[in-house]
């Protein structure tokens, strides 16, 4: 039922033909499928640009109705450690695919979230099971994938959907769902989603749940609803220098909601960009966010790093309050 | 001679063990599902029928010290009328000895009047992989071939060396007791000893026990020896002895140190536990310094210490630990904009542990929901937690059917589910 619940899943293209964009990617993949020699694949690009969709469509293309048995979906950040991945791949690749297909497909999402060591281990796994399995690695940043893996893969770049195609798709979905979609709504969705198709469809769906006629106003209120309010509060508390209250909020997000530190930083960055702060302050806070993100990947304890972030933002906030009146006079 | 109160007030029956209902149900369900046990005991306690419970070959009871792991096993044996064969990891060394002792114990018929035998391997994390040659393997062998119930206890079941034990066992976690729960138990002991105990005094004992009930009861007995009244000032006497109280002292020394070296020297203290210290320091920095500038400087140092520790843990470069400690002690203590500290600072218990203990069930439900959605829509759990769950909750507010369908799919109450949708 979850696939019906979210429109982005309900309207996920099922075949390569259905994918609206990415002509070059599709052509190259078709050529590989036709020749029968599919190498390991690396799809990289920002979120919501069709990496998962194309990987799943490819599985359908290769295996038809048997695709579920022949494709293993893993998520590098969900599966705990490389050993779990190794075990699952081992189990999966032990048997030959049904129906005479030459290999099975392992789709590994968020591969760029793996540490360098884990990627080295992954490389060995890829080689070990190359007889029976091909890997499709999905990543946001190709720069975070180690060279030995890149050199073993056919690399595909995914770029955000052009405005025209996104508009077409949104109109199609709206029509199928009996929703009237105004042009100004499409403009705003495109702007807010930054080319992320999944976020665009989410905005449309939440707006449409409130009213059957979706205009820019409906989209704006949808955007406000699906943005975690806690993150805006967290930023404000931190800026106000109330470290103890800010920390309570942080713990609520981390422990009750289970949001990872790195994801909180991403959301803080989005809030920061939207905020009314002066640009030089924004730049300074963005630097702190980047610094903390780095320390998170290096450190051992998320709460220590995230509390450090809140205190640094608090110190910046206080300095801004102290110097602001002076600056006005200049 | 007076009996130690930890013995005198030790629960004798399963029902008397308080605040561990979840663990009790799991343990009883396993016993009743696989071995002979009295019917009324099983109908009262054994409610679980999961594969996880019934497939396990042994039970691994996990939890911090002093919360009643061993007590629970004793109570269980008494309740189902089994003879208890108890092996403490620290007194049985080497595989050979282990096999001898258990082998002999299991061959003989149970003592007269007993229904069967129950084997308890206490403190398996006391087994030293190198010294207790093959001890772990022997335990595994014994579990594989045993026809009697085997229960183990451990403080930290996630130690990698336990992996094989963990895989074959049912992990039953006892929860760390809350401050309030410990205060309540101490209050009952005071009442039954006919002593007058100030609430604040009991609270202070409970707080410094860090959830270790045994330590708290020991402290209470010591404080009440030869007297019938306990006030909060008496607590200071425990300070010298109690390692938990020395965490307050450690923090106090660090924050009040006048030189870098004075703060750093704290790490030479034998009771200094750096992992604990980091948590307490993180908790206390904003409270002690109040000033956001000073806090930010101290947290910067703590954060850098943590970065070094991350590197130590990944690469096992333990020779770097002194740098991390210098940052976490001297670096936290000596900040440029250090405010004047008040004469008395109340150092709070790290809230993280309490939050995690208190919200365990809610988090379990949340994970189930997140997992369900993530699988259905080819998304990662982190995407669900940071984005899709907000979309879902917006949709659910407009459409009550969504809640209803999710509720059914996940087998949750509507109240529990709504709590998960922000």
């Amino acid at each position: 039922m979850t696939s019906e619940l979210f429109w982005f899943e309900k309207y996920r293209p099922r075949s390569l033909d259905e994918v609206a964009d990415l002509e070059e990617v599709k052509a190259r993949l078709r050529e590989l499928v036709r020749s029968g020699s599919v190498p390991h694949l690396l799809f990289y690009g920002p979120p919501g640009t069709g990496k998962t969709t194309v990987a799943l469509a490819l599985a359908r293309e290769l295996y038809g109705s048997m695709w579920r048995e022949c494709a293993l979906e893993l998520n590098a950040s969900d599966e705990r450690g490389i050993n779990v991945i190794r075990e699952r791949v081992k189990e999966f690749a032990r048997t030959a695919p049904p129906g005479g297909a030459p290999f099975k497909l392992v789709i590994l999402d968020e591969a760029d979230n793996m540490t360098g060591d884990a990627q080295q281990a992954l490389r060995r796994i890829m080689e070990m099971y190359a007889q029976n399995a091909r890997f499709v690695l999905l990543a946001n940043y190709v720069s975070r994938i180690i060279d030995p893996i890149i050199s073993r893969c056919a690399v595909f770049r995914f770029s955000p959907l052009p405005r025209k195609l996104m508009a077409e798709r949104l109109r199609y979905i709206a029509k199928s769902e009996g929703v009237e979609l105004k042009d100004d709504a499409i403009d705003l969705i495109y702007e807010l989603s930054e080319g992320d198709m999944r976020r665009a469809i989410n905005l449309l769906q939440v707006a449409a749940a409130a009213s059957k006629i979706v205009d820019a106003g409906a989209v704006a209120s949808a955007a406000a609803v699906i943005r975690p309010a806690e993150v805006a509060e967290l930023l404000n508390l931190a800026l106000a220098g109330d470290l103890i209250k800010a920390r309570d909020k942080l713990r609520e997000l981390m422990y009750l909601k289970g949001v990872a530190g790195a994801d909180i930083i991403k959301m803080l960055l989005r809030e920061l960009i939207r905020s009314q702060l002066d640009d030089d302050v924004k730049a300074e806070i963005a630097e702190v966010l980047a610094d903390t993100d780095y320390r998170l990947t290096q450190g051992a304890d998320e709460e220590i790093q995230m509390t450090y972030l809140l205190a640094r933002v608090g110190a910046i906030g206080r300095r801004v309050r102290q110097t602001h009146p002076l600056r006005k006079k200049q | 001679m007076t009996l130690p109160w930890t013995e005198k007030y030790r629960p004798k029956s399963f029902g008397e063990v308080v605040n561990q209902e979840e663990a009790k149900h799991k343990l009883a369900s396993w016993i009743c599902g696989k071995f002979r046990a009295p019917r009324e005991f099983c109908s009262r306690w054994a409610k679980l029928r999961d594969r996880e419970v019934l497939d396990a070959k042994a039970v691994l009871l996990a939890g911090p010290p002093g919360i009643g792991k061993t007590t629970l096993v004793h109570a269980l044996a008494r309740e189902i009328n089994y003879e208890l064969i108890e092996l403490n990891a620290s007194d049985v060394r080497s595989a050979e000895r282990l096999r001898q002792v258990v082998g002999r114990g299991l061959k003989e018929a149970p003592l007269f009047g007993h229904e069967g035998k129950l084997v308890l391997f206490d403190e398996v994390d006391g087994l030293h992989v190198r010294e207790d040659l093959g001890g772990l393997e022997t335990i595994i062998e014994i579990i594989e071939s045993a026809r009697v119930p085997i229960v183990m206890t451990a403080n930290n079941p996630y130690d990698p060396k336990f992996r094989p034990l963990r895989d074959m066992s049912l992990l039953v976690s006892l929860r760390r007791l809350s401050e309030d729960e410990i205060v309540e138990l101490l209050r009952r002991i005071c009442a039954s000893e006919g002593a007058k105990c100030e609430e604040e005094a009991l609270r202070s004992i409970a707080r410094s026990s860090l959830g270790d009930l045994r330590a708290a009861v020991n402290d209470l007995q010591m404080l009440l020896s030869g007297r019938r009244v306990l006030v909060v000032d008496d607590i200071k006497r425990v300070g010298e002895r109690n390692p938990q109280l020395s965490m307050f002292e450690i923090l106090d020394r660090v924050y009040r140190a006048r030189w870098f070296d004075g703060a750093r020297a704290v790490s030479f203290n034998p009771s200094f536990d750096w992992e604990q210290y980091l948590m307490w320091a993180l908790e206390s920095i904003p409270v002690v310094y109040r000033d956001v500038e000073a806090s930010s400087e101290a947290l910067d140092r703590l954060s850098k210490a943590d970065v070094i520790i991350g590197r130590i843990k990944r690469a096992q470069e333990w020779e770097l630990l002194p740098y991390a400690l210098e940052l976490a002690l001297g670096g936290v203590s000596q900040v440029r904009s250090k405010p004047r500290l008040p004469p008395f600072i109340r150092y709070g218990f790290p809230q993280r542990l309490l939050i995690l203990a208190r919200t365990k069930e809610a988090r379990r439900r949340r994970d189930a929901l997140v997992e369900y959605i993530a699988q259905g829509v080819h998304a990662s759990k982190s995407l669900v937690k940071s984005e899709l769950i907000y979309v879902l909750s917006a949709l659910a507010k407009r459409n009550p059917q969504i809640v209803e369908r999710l509720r059914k799919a996940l087998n949750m109450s509507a109240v529990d589910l709504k709590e998960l949708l922000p």
Side-chain angles (χ1 to χ4, degrees), chain B residues 350-369:
Chain B
Q351 289 298 304
R352 175 195 321 190
L353 298 176
L354 297 180
I355 295 171
L356 288 176
R358 207 167 44 220
T359 58
K360 196 170 152 225
E361 273 308 300
R363 285 184 292 122
R364 198 187 54 72
R365 286 194 292 270
R366 179 201 71 206
D367 290 345
L369 174 67

Side-chain angles (χ1 to χ4, degrees), chain A residues 15-305:
Chain A
S15 66
L16 288 179
D17 287 332
E18 259 185 82
V19 175
D21 188 24
L22 307 166
E23 292 309 329
E24 203 207 337
V25 169
K26 288 190 307 192
R28 278 175 65 201
L29 279 175
R30 281 212 190 86
E31 185 53 36
L32 289 174
V33 171
R34 204 185 49 79
S35 72
S37 67
V38 178
H40 296 308
L41 306 171
L42 171 59
F43 294 174
Y44 78 94
T49 51
K51 299 182 294 294
T52 306
T53 300
V54 169
L56 293 171
L58 177 67
R60 283 200 179 83
E61 212 106 319
L62 285 167
Y63 308 118
S65 61
M66 299 297 283
W67 73 276
R68 276 178 203 282
E69 286 73 43
C70 301
L72 172 69
E73 276 184 87
L74 294 174
N75 189 297
S77 51
D78 288 350
E79 315 294 333
R80 276 192 224 133
I82 189 72
N83 287 331
V84 178
I85 293 178
R86 182 187 290 117
E87 283 308 308
R88 296 202 52 190
V89 170
K90 189 171 147 192
E91 182 68 20
F92 173 73
R94 216 178 42 192
T95 55
F103 51 78
K104 291 182 173 179
L105 212 57
V106 178
I107 302 171
L108 181 63
D109 199 358
E110 303 196 10
D112 50 344
N113 279 353
M114 300 171 89
T115 62
D117 287 346
Q119 289 189 34
Q120 289 291 355
L122 175 65
R123 189 200 76 186
R124 283 194 290 276
I125 297 172
M126 289 166 74
E127 276 166 4
M128 208 179 300
Y129 298 102
Q131 283 287 340
N132 277 348
R134 294 292 182 279
F135 280 71
V136 185
L137 307 181
L138 312 184
N140 290 140
Y141 303 100
V142 73
S143 56
R144 285 207 221 146
I145 303 286
I146 59 171
D147 288 339
I149 287 189
I150 297 179
S151 80
R152 281 168 175 77
C153 294
V155 181
F156 293 80
R157 178 162 167 260
F158 285 64
S159 12
L161 213 58
R163 189 191 193 98
K164 187 168 150 280
L165 289 176
M166 181 185 272
E168 264 171 32
R169 192 69 184 163
L170 290 174
R171 282 207 193 88
Y172 170 77
I173 294 173
K175 198 170 158 225
S176 313
E177 293 288 339
V179 173
E180 189 184 335
L181 181 59
K182 303 279 192 198
D183 285 346
D184 62 346
I186 295 180
D187 289 344
L188 187 56
I189 291 178
Y190 183 75
E191 190 188 319
L192 291 172
S193 64
E194 295 161 15
D196 178 339
M197 194 65 202
R198 177 170 42 220
R199 184 169 293 158
I201 299 175
N202 281 338
L203 279 167
L204 172 63
Q205 187 178 9
V206 172
S211 97
K212 286 288 158 203
I213 299 171
V214 174
D215 55 15
V219 172
S221 30
V225 173
I226 61 177
R227 191 167 68 222
E230 296 97 333
V231 178
E233 284 171 51
L234 183 65
L235 183 62
N236 288 333
L237 286 169
L239 277 168
D242 194 337
L243 190 49
I244 292 180
K245 278 211 187 104
R247 173 162 75 180
D248 288 344
K249 201 38 89 200
L250 172 72
R251 283 170 164 164
E252 183 188 325
L253 267 168
M254 281 178 58
Y255 300 130
L256 263 56
K257 306 273 193 300
V259 186
D263 287 327
I264 297 178
I265 292 183
K266 270 186 219 143
M267 293 192 274
L268 279 172
L269 184 61
R270 246 181 263 146
E271 284 302 327
L272 177 71
I273 293 165
R274 251 194 290 264
S275 73
Q276 302 294 314
L277 296 164
D278 287 344
D279 280 351
D280 56 336
V281 180
K282 282 188 185 178
E284 205 174 342
I285 296 178
E287 189 185 340
V288 175
L289 293 180
D291 173 35
T292 314
D293 197 8
Y294 173 73
R295 294 186 190 200
L296 263 183
T297 62
Q298 301 298 307
D301 188 294
E302 289 211 336
E303 194 185 322
I304 290 181
Q305 301 304 342

Side-chain angles (χ1 to χ4, degrees), chain A residues 2 5 9 12 73 75 78 110 199 230 247 251 255-256 258 263 295 298 300-301 303 305 318, chain B residues 282-283 291 293 300 303 306 314 351-352 363 366 376-378 380-382 385 387 390 392:
Chain A
T2 35
L5 192 55
E9 187 57 37
R12 193 193 282 281
E73 276 184 87
N75 189 297
D78 288 350
E110 303 196 10
R199 184 169 293 158
E230 296 97 333
R247 173 162 75 180
R251 283 170 164 164
Y255 300 130
L256 263 56
D263 287 327
R295 294 186 190 200
Q298 301 298 307
D301 188 294
E303 194 185 322
Q305 301 304 342
R318 188 171 72 175
Chain B
L282 176 61
E283 189 69 36
D291 173 62
E293 188 71 45
D300 182 30
S303 147
D306 179 63
R314 270 191 306 275
Q351 289 298 304
R352 175 195 321 190
R363 285 184 292 122
R366 179 201 71 206
V377 301
H378 310 285
S380 73
K381 288 178 204 160
S382 69
K385 283 190 266 197
E387 199 172 320
Y390 294 92
L392 181 65

Side-chain angles (χ1 to χ4, degrees), chain B residues 82-100:
Chain B
Y82 273 44
E83 184 192 347
L84 188 68
I85 300 175
E86 190 175 351
L87 284 169
N88 196 308
S90 51
D91 52 51
V92 178
R93 298 279 174 176
S94 93
E96 206 39 51
R97 282 275 297 137
L98 202 60
R99 216 166 301 164
Q100 268 176 14

Side-chain angles (χ1 to χ4, degrees), chain A residues 315 318, chain B residues 288-298 301 331-341:
Chain A
R318 188 171 72 175
Chain B
V288 173
Y289 285 152
R290 289 208 202 96
D291 173 62
V292 70
E293 188 71 45
S295 298
S296 144
E297 212 177 324
R301 271 49 182 282
V332 166
S333 165
Q334 307 298 310
V335 292
R336 253 169 309 172
S337 41
K338 188 166 180 166
R340 259 180 82 96
L341 302 181

